[in-house]
Each structure stands twice: as structure tokens, then as C-alpha cells.
Amino acid sequence: MTKRISAKHKIDRRLKINLWGRPKSPFNKRDYGPGQHGQGRKGKPSDYGIQLQAKQKLKGYYGNINERQFRNIYKKATMLKGDTGENLIGLLERRLDSVVYRARFSTTVFSARQLINHGHVRVNGKKVNISSYMVKEEDIIEIRDKSKQLAFIDIALANKERETPEYIHLDEKNKKVTFVRTPKFDEVPYPVIMEPNLVIEYYSR
């Protein structure tokens, strides 16, 4: 399980953006960085600074993935055919915690990760408790029978802030989804602008 240093609610203020489009994001009320120097004026960022922020934003959005894991995903993306930026997004969306979050079994990617780590999720009928597990096309992801009555899953499904994207087929009644296909970048419903090409430039330096 990935160890995180700061609380997830601080990420928005640190990156100065409402990363997940949440109504309760602290950035909505305090649109500046945390700490006593958070409101200080900043100079124009360098190209490196812009690329670094793009990387931090993408890492943060997918549950604040640690640097080692994220770099490994980038390396995998470079070895696949096609555009590396598209490949990077495709790999991130294939992570089991991403699929559980997109399926709306959880309200945040962090709670999706917790759901998986606690053994509530099955892939093709088998328990998988590794959040970084790479889902394949036509894999069936479901909440195990003993966990289908958990109230927070029903609350998450009832939340209308997000819709399930087309590349995931949801059977809400049975709390089951089929991962139809790996999405293209423009199919992924990001609430804010993501720039994977800047991330590629960062690692290509």
C-alpha cells in the first residue's frame, strides 16, 4: 500500500487547483498554497517548473502515486506502441483503484484503494487486494458478495457528481463492472486540464 505523507485534502492547495472537482475542496475557499508563505507572490515558472507541476498533478489525481511507481508506469508507456502520453493515461486508467473509482463504488480514489486493500473487490471471481493491479479488457470487477451491503458503497453509487465513462460498463444492481477497453486521453473525464505530454517531457529531460 502506498504511503502518503500529507492529507489528501492538502493536495489541492499545494497544487493550487481543485484536482477532483470536489464541492468541499479546501481550495474553493482558500485558493492559495498552504503555510505562512502560501499567499506570497511567485515569479513566472520555468519550463521545468511547468512540467514538474503537470507531473505532480497527474500523480496526485490518481491517488498520489509514489515516484517509483509512477516512473515505472512511464517506462511501461514508452515501451508500448503509439503515443507515449496516450499510453501513460491508458495504463493509469487500467489500475484497479482507478477502475473502482470510475465505477463509482467509492467517492474518491483513496477510498477505492482502501476498498481494494481490505479485500472487498474481486477480479474475474478472484480476490485482488493490490491497488496497482492492471486490469485487462473484458475483465469483470465486482464487489464481493459479503461486502455488497456496505452503506458507503451505496452512498457512492447514489452520488450524481460523476458519471461512469463509456469504457466501463456498470451493472449497478449487482455492483459489477466490465472494463470494456483502454480509453483514449480525450475520453477520460478529468474535471481539470491534464497535460500528459508535459509529463513525458519532464521524464525525457
Side-chain angles (χ1 to χ4, degrees):
M1 180 177 179
T2 301
K3 293 182 178 179
R4 303 186 57 257
I5 298 173
S6 59
K8 61 180 177 291
H9 296 294
K10 292 182 180 178
I11 298 176
D12 285 355
R13 291 189 63 206
R14 177 163 55 82
L15 296 178
K16 298 181 181 179
I17 194 168
N18 186 347
L19 199 54
W20 296 278
R22 298 172 303 192
K24 295 183 179 180
S25 170
F27 184 76
N28 294 340
K29 293 183 178 180
R30 293 172 289 175
D31 58 347
Y32 50 85
Q36 61 177 332
H37 302 296
Q39 298 185 67
R41 291 186 177 181
K42 302 291 183 181
K44 184 178 179 181
S46 63
D47 289 344
Y48 174 80
I50 293 171
Q51 294 163 2
L52 176 62
Q53 187 176 49
K55 183 200 73 165
Q56 291 173 328
K57 194 161 61 171
L58 200 60
K59 281 174 59 177
Y61 180 83
Y62 284 96
N64 211 16
I65 300 172
N66 68 36
E67 180 61 25
R68 180 181 57 80
Q69 285 184 322
F70 197 77
R71 184 180 287 274
N72 285 340
I73 294 171
Y74 160 75
K75 288 180 179 178
K76 289 180 181 178
T78 63
M79 292 187 286
L80 297 174
K81 292 182 180 179
D83 182 79
T84 303
E86 290 277 359
N87 294 339
L88 177 64
I89 296 301
L91 289 170
L92 289 168
E93 286 293 313
R94 283 176 52 199
R95 283 174 57 100
L96 184 56
D97 52 4
S98 297
V99 177
V100 170
Y101 172 64
R102 294 291 183 211
R104 299 186 7 254
F105 292 151
S106 64
T107 54
T108 69
V109 69
F110 303 101
S111 57
R113 190 172 294 168
Q114 189 174 39
L115 198 66
I116 295 163
N117 292 336
H118 289 179
H120 298 298
V121 176
R122 295 185 181 277
V123 178
N124 298 327
K126 296 181 180 180
K127 184 178 78 172
V128 177
N129 59 4
I130 301 171
S131 301
S132 59
Y133 176 89
M134 285 289 173
V135 173
K136 298 185 291 293
E137 293 183 359
E138 300 302 322
D139 275 357
I140 296 173
I141 299 91
E142 61 185 324
I143 303 299
R144 69 171 186 170
D145 291 340
K146 291 182 179 180
S147 305
K148 287 182 178 180
Q149 303 306 316
L150 291 172
F152 69 86
I153 297 176
D154 290 328
I155 291 171
L157 285 168
N159 191 319
K160 301 304 180 183
E161 289 180 5
R162 295 182 294 119
E163 295 183 356
T164 307
E166 292 184 358
Y167 49 91
I168 292 174
H169 180 265
L170 172 64
D171 178 354
E172 187 171 334
K173 180 180 178 181
N174 294 306
K175 295 183 173 64
K176 178 188 299 186
V177 294
T178 302
F179 187 75
V180 180
R181 56 184 169 78
T182 303
K184 297 291 185 182
F185 172 57
D186 59 7
E187 295 179 291
V188 180
Y190 295 115
V192 297
I193 296 174
M194 293 289 178
E195 300 169 292
N197 288 334
L198 289 178
V199 180
I200 304 305
E201 290 174 11
Y202 172 86
Y203 283 116
S204 300
R205 294 178 69 91

